Amino acid sequence: MKYQHRFDSCIEHTLAHIEEAVLHNLPEEKQRWYSVKLFERDSKITEQLAKTEGIQISAETLSHIEDDIQKCEKEMDDDSESIIISERYKYIESIIKSCVTKKNKSSALTTSDKIDRIVTNRFLALPIFAVIMWAVYYIAMVTVGAAATDWANDGLFGDGFHLFGIWIPGIPSIIESGLDKINCADWLKGLILDGIVAGVGAVLGFVPQMLVLFLLLAFLEACGYMARIAFIMDRVFRRFGLSGKSFIPMLVGTGCGIPGIMASRTIESERDRRMTIMTTTFIPCGAKTPFIAMIAGAIFGGSAWIATSAYFIGIASILISGIMLKKTKMFSGDVSPFVMELPAYHLPTIGNLLRSMWERGWSFIKKAGTIILLSTIVIWFLSYFGWIDGTFGMIDENQMDCSVLAYIGRAICWIFQPLGFGNWQATVATITGLVAKENIVGTMGILYGGSQAYANMAQIFTSVTGMSFLIFNLLCAPCFAAMGAIKREMNSKKWFWFAIGYECGFAYIISFIVNQMGKLFTGQANGISDIFEIIIGFVITAALIYMIFRKNTTGQGTLRSRP
């Protein structure tokens, strides 16, 4: 008999059990191949055994084999498919080691290996990842990025700033003085200053913060650390019904959700691909960064934890969705294997980092000059025109409650009342965010008084309602462009609307729970209606917990004969 590779003793013990239970009448070579495929839970192997070998495996035998496989998985702390892949790579490495003679025979670990022993450690990997992401958002949102954004908002798009002892007026002041000199009409002056400059300026004011964030993320990607995160998250994702391949589109989606959605094409399983498309936009993209920064700055004192939590709320939402959806018939099935080569750590060139940062930043700036510009013009018109004493005409900022936009917002704001932000301003901002997520910042800048937006928002939102507002807009349906990408990749109207409905429904439920539990624990519940909503919140929370922990009846991860 030819030389046969031997796996770890635990695997060999399980394979021997499988051969003894099912394959003992087959030739030894076939026994080996079939036992490994059964160990990997290959869904087609039982059908092949019945057709080609005439072996029918009973349900009792399948259950016995499954118990043996689960014991091996528990001992080796991994799933069966990954165990076999790892063993094969070890075998390949041993062959290469015996065939290749290295000039330097030192057995010392490489620098990358030494780093990986720490950052990919079974217990330390996730805490290290959390600390690194906190540091990234702390630098971008609180220290360097915040200082640059404050200068842009207060100086460049505000009153002005000092440069080498010389006072330089801000863009609004320069434009206003120019308009006064040419005796510009009041309505046009209002459009330019209160609409375009206030709206677009509120968005562009966050560009420095975004550039710092993009630079730091580009460094993590270029140095090789993000590849390790995909490796780390594969182990986590597989336990929740998702493949590690799903994390690659999510990494891409931190820049923009559209290429993230398109990156799901690399996933072979149609079920896993659709689930990835549905959940990828839960990860905050670059367009959501200004909104996160605005909420963190206006309501939470610029806390880095709020910005970091937005990232991990996205990951947690993906995992929870994976658990629940994998227990349905639509998405049940074995997880696709994930194998990737980890590059050696290296210092990226400054040129590559700056190029990556600028490409992402310029894409954002171009959107601000087109979609955001048109949106702010429409929002300004709807905000500064309305009915006073039965007469339609232009109104001032103190009369916005009579504007067209206020009438539209009040007609639908009841939908968001249980979420804690049932005022018409927040409702309108949420709706305009479906056009482009940056619109939320531009809309809030116009409706809450430009330079006074932070102070006005702090008076209206509490920490609970602010977090609810943040979570809903992070998790609900993405911008129109990303929706178009979802429609193309799903290639089905039914699946497209299911994806959008799931995202909006999931966002609404999580935001509702946060608001109701927050009211309870902060003592903000007043009246019978609040108590009734809190009770509903408990019921929904219990239902969500049940869906997460209920037994999987679809048969995922077990050997099954096909009918």
Side-chain angles (χ1 to χ4, degrees), residues 11 43 68 90 105 157 292 311 320 323 377 405 486 514:
I11 305 171
S43 60
D68 289 336
K90 287 179 184 177
K105 296 184 179 180
F157 293 103
I292 296 169
Y311 192 89
I320 292 171
I323 296 171
I377 291 173
L405 199 62
I486 291 174
V514 167

Side-chain angles (χ1 to χ4, degrees), residues 111-130 132 220 223-233 342-343 345:
T111 302
S112 290
D113 290 336
K114 291 177 181 177
I115 297 173
D116 280 341
R117 292 186 71 176
I118 299 172
V119 300
T120 62
N121 180 275
R122 189 178 303 276
F123 304 105
L124 297 177
L126 288 177
I128 289 172
F129 175 48
I132 288 175
L220 293 180
C223 75
Y225 180 69
M226 280 302 189
R228 270 74 182 176
I229 293 304
F231 169 76
I232 293 164
M233 295 306 295
L342 294 180
Y345 287 102

Side-chain angles (χ1 to χ4, degrees), residues 476-487:
C476 75
C479 63
F480 283 170
M483 287 187 205
I486 291 174
K487 187 175 182 180

Side-chain angles (χ1 to χ4, degrees), residues 326-390:
K326 271 292 182 180
K327 293 178 181 178
T328 64
K329 291 183 179 180
M330 291 185 296
F331 295 98
S332 64
D334 293 325
V335 179
S336 302
F338 176 59
V339 180
M340 69 176 298
E341 190 76 24
L342 294 180
Y345 287 102
H346 62 280
L347 284 174
T349 62
I350 295 177
N352 285 338
L353 293 181
L354 294 177
R355 189 179 302 110
S356 176
M357 176 193 73
W358 177 247
E359 285 174 356
R360 291 182 178 183
W362 179 241
S363 175
F364 176 83
I365 292 170
K366 284 192 295 185
K367 190 184 288 187
T370 53
I371 297 173
I372 311 301
L373 175 62
L374 293 174
S375 298
T376 55
I377 291 173
V378 173
I379 292 166
W380 176 86
F381 177 83
L382 296 176
S383 302
Y384 282 85
F385 280 83
W387 290 270
I388 299 291
D389 297 329

Side-chain angles (χ1 to χ4, degrees), residues 53 151 172 192 196 199 205 209 213 275 298 302 307 351 372 446 451 456 527 542 559:
E53 309 296 342
W151 172 82
I192 295 172
I196 297 173
Q209 213 165 33
L213 178 62
M275 189 188 299
I372 311 301
I446 294 173
S451 60
N456 293 334
L559 289 165

Side-chain angles (χ1 to χ4, degrees), residues 252-530:
V252 176
T254 58
C256 177
I258 298 170
I261 293 165
M262 295 173 67
S264 64
R265 295 174 183 176
T266 59
I267 301 173
E268 296 88 353
S269 169
E270 187 69 13
R271 292 185 298 264
D272 290 349
R273 192 178 71 84
R274 283 172 173 165
M275 189 188 299
T276 301
I277 292 171
M278 287 172 55
T279 56
T280 290
T281 54
F282 285 161
I283 294 289
C285 63
K288 295 176 184 176
T289 303
F291 168 62
I292 296 169
M294 170 177 268
I295 296 298
I299 302 170
F300 296 96
S303 172
W305 286 109
I306 297 301
T308 310
S309 69
Y311 192 89
F312 286 101
I313 285 170
I315 293 178
S317 299
I318 291 167
L319 296 180
I320 292 171
S321 297
I323 296 171
M324 295 191 299
L325 293 175
K326 271 292 182 180
K327 293 178 181 178
T328 64
K329 291 183 179 180
M330 291 185 296
F331 295 98
S332 64
D334 293 325
V335 179
S336 302
F338 176 59
V339 180
M340 69 176 298
E341 190 76 24
L342 294 180
Y345 287 102
H346 62 280
L347 284 174
T349 62
I350 295 177
N352 285 338
L353 293 181
L354 294 177
R355 189 179 302 110
S356 176
M357 176 193 73
W358 177 247
E359 285 174 356
R360 291 182 178 183
W362 179 241
S363 175
F364 176 83
I365 292 170
K366 284 192 295 185
K367 190 184 288 187
T370 53
I371 297 173
I372 311 301
L373 175 62
L374 293 174
S375 298
T376 55
I377 291 173
V378 173
I379 292 166
W380 176 86
F381 177 83
L382 296 176
S383 302
Y384 282 85
F385 280 83
W387 290 270
I388 299 291
D389 297 329
T391 303
F392 182 80
M394 187 174 180
I395 58 178
D396 58 40
E397 60 184 18
N398 297 320
Q399 299 171 318
M400 280 191 182
D401 284 341
C402 301
S403 66
V404 176
L405 199 62
Y407 280 99
I408 296 173
R410 279 195 289 265
I412 58 176
C413 67
W414 59 270
I415 298 172
F416 302 101
Q417 189 69 43
L419 309 187
F421 52 94
N423 58 77
W424 68 267
Q425 293 93 336
T427 298
V428 168
T430 299
I431 300 304
T432 59
L434 294 176
V435 179
K437 291 301 177 182
E438 305 94 322
N439 267 343
I440 301 175
V441 176
T443 303
M444 301 288 265
I446 294 173
L447 299 182
Y448 284 106
S451 60
Q452 300 298 317
Y454 274 34
N456 293 334
M457 286 173 62
Q459 292 178 358
I460 293 172
F461 288 93
T462 65
S463 58
V464 173
T465 57
M467 180 57 72
S468 175
F469 184 60
L470 173 66
I471 289 174
F472 182 82
N473 284 284
L474 285 178
L475 302 180
C476 75
C479 63
F480 283 170
M483 287 187 205
I486 291 174
K487 187 175 182 180
R488 288 193 300 272
E489 295 303 314
M490 287 294 193
N491 197 27
S492 165
K493 287 185 178 180
K494 180 186 73 173
W495 277 104
F496 166 72
W497 287 112
F498 178 78
I500 299 304
Y502 177 81
E503 290 171 340
C504 292
F506 184 81
Y508 194 95
I509 288 171
I510 300 301
S511 183
F512 178 81
I513 291 172
V514 167
N515 183 50
Q516 301 309 321
M517 297 302 106
K519 283 196 299 186
L520 176 64
F521 292 115
T522 57
Q524 297 177 13
N526 297 308
I528 295 176
S529 61
D530 284 346

